[in-house]
Amino acid sequence: MAAPTAQASHPRGGPPPPRGFPLPSTRRHGGGRRPKFGRDRRRVALLMLTPATIHLVWWIGVPVAATFVLAFMNYDILAGTATFTGLDNFRAIFSDSTWNASIWHTVVFTFFTVPVAMAIAVVLAVLLNNKIRGRAWYRAAIFMPHITATVAIALVWMWMFEPRIGIFNTALGWFGVKGPVWLGDPSWALFAVIMVSIWKGVGIKMLIYLAALQAMPQDVYEAAALDGASKARTFWSITLPLLKPATFFVLVVSIIDSFQAFDQLYVLTPDGGPANSTTVMTYEIYTKAFKEFQMGQACAMSVVLFAFLLVLMLISRRVTGREDDVR
């Protein structure tokens, strides 16, 4: 019998295949089963994720779970025994005046450090996003404190805060002002640490904002320029709204970092500073756990710190909006 002259139509509506070629099958392999190469790729993906998953569960998941359990127990680290005490650890820490003061110091530290550093970072990012001479050197110089060891930075700032020969008091002396004992005065110690933290944290925030600025659509700025918008108007009406996703990310990371601040406080103001004026939550947790060996109370403090961070993250989400993508 002669072969039919009419060509069969393509099952997907495209042009008909050449004569003599078989039509592609629309059935799935193996009676509805997925092809073998898909299973192989999933196995490889799971195999590659296994080391990271084990590391995450063992070094983060298990300690976090143990912290929540030990917060309700009296754990003797030397004897290795633990007894359930209910909410006694939480009652004990909230009746401790030092812990309550550390919460206030942490809130003050975060309130001044995060917004000021973010505002400075936005201004620097906008300035360094322009084509100015030597901007690569300026970017590197501003980012350098972030990658410098905190202990080394703290030692330099301790010399700058020195009451007799320090840079700050020397500069104030030129105007006839007697500088304070920055790190030895309870009224100035926390402020001095805030200054150091702002200076150290501006670089990474500026880098994130700079990356966000370089990813912005330029046609929006061109349209604003054609409409005669000033630079200030463009900044407030275009740049800041488009920076909202980056602002949320920077805000969350900055709050977490400020609530976990420890090393610069430990070096600049040992033992919580004069009259516990720089004692923050992380330092009090360290003291309870590794100086007084009150592991149950230290875990209870860690749970309270986690609750603070969770609430602040929700507030930050509400303040900065729900847009995750630059539109």
Side-chain angles (χ1 to χ4, degrees):
M1 181 181 295
T5 58
Q7 295 182 356
S9 63
H10 196 274
R12 295 186 181 179
R19 182 177 298 177
F21 282 79
L23 293 175
S25 175
T26 58
R27 298 180 59 188
R28 305 180 75 175
H29 295 274
R33 292 180 300 177
R34 294 185 177 181
K36 185 175 182 299
F37 72 89
R39 295 195 301 270
D40 293 341
R41 292 174 64 181
R42 288 194 298 275
R43 291 195 190 100
V44 173
L46 292 175
L47 183 63
M48 297 179 67
L49 288 173
T50 298
T53 305
I54 294 175
H55 179 274
L56 182 66
V57 171
W58 181 253
W59 293 109
I60 298 180
V62 173
V64 168
T67 299
F68 277 89
V69 172
L70 293 176
F72 300 94
M73 306 184 75
N74 182 16
Y75 176 58
D76 189 345
I77 188 174
L78 299 178
T81 59
T83 56
F84 181 77
T85 58
L87 298 176
D88 289 348
N89 289 329
F90 293 93
R91 297 190 188 99
I93 63 175
F94 282 111
S95 62
D96 186 356
S97 59
T98 305
W99 170 249
N100 294 329
S102 70
I103 295 177
W104 171 247
H105 295 156
T106 304
V107 172
V108 173
F109 179 83
T110 303
F111 180 79
F112 286 100
T113 302
V114 174
V116 175
M118 290 178 64
I120 297 174
V122 169
V123 174
L124 292 175
V126 172
L127 293 176
L128 295 179
N129 193 41
N130 298 321
K131 295 181 179 180
I132 60 177
R133 193 171 186 179
R135 63 176 180 176
W137 292 100
Y138 292 129
R139 293 174 182 176
I142 296 172
F143 182 71
M144 191 64 67
H146 177 73
I147 59 176
T148 306
T150 306
V151 176
I153 290 175
L155 292 175
V156 174
W157 278 85
M158 286 177 66
W159 170 76
M160 295 171 64
F161 284 131
E162 214 281 328
R164 294 171 298 174
I165 61 174
I167 292 178
F168 292 108
N169 283 2
T170 301
L172 291 174
W174 295 341
F175 301 96
V177 179
K178 183 179 180 181
V181 183
W182 295 92
L183 300 176
D185 189 343
S187 301
W188 289 96
L190 186 59
F191 176 74
V193 176
I194 290 173
M195 290 175 57
V196 178
S197 300
I198 291 174
W199 176 81
K200 188 178 187 301
V202 164
I204 184 63
K205 298 175 180 62
M206 179 211 67
L207 188 65
I208 296 172
Y209 278 125
L210 190 61
L213 287 172
Q214 293 179 353
M216 287 183 179
Q218 296 302 315
D219 54 350
V220 180
Y221 290 94
E222 294 173 359
L226 291 176
D227 291 339
S230 63
K231 291 185 178 180
R233 182 67 176 176
T234 302
F235 176 77
W236 289 105
S237 300
I238 297 178
T239 303
L240 283 184
L242 291 177
L243 282 176
K244 186 178 290 186
T247 299
F248 174 70
F249 176 77
V250 173
L251 181 62
V252 170
V253 173
S254 301
I255 290 176
I256 294 175
D257 184 65
S258 62
F259 264 77
Q260 294 180 343
F262 176 80
D263 42 5
Q264 65 265 38
L265 291 156
Y266 185 80
V267 178
L268 288 170
T269 55
D271 298 326
N276 289 325
S277 59
T278 61
T279 300
V280 292
M281 299 172 73
T282 52
Y283 186 83
E284 189 63 16
I285 293 172
Y286 163 77
T287 301
K288 283 292 182 183
F290 301 107
K291 288 188 176 181
E292 300 178 8
F293 298 104
Q294 297 287 339
M295 289 296 175
Q297 294 186 20
C299 291
M301 292 177 178
S302 300
V303 172
V304 174
L305 177 59
F306 171 78
F308 266 93
L309 289 175
L310 181 61
V311 171
L312 288 174
M313 294 308 102
L314 295 176
I315 295 174
S316 303
R317 182 70 170 176
R318 176 74 64 175
V319 170
T320 56
R322 298 179 178 275
E323 294 84 1
D324 293 327
D325 298 320
V326 177
R327 302 189 183 277

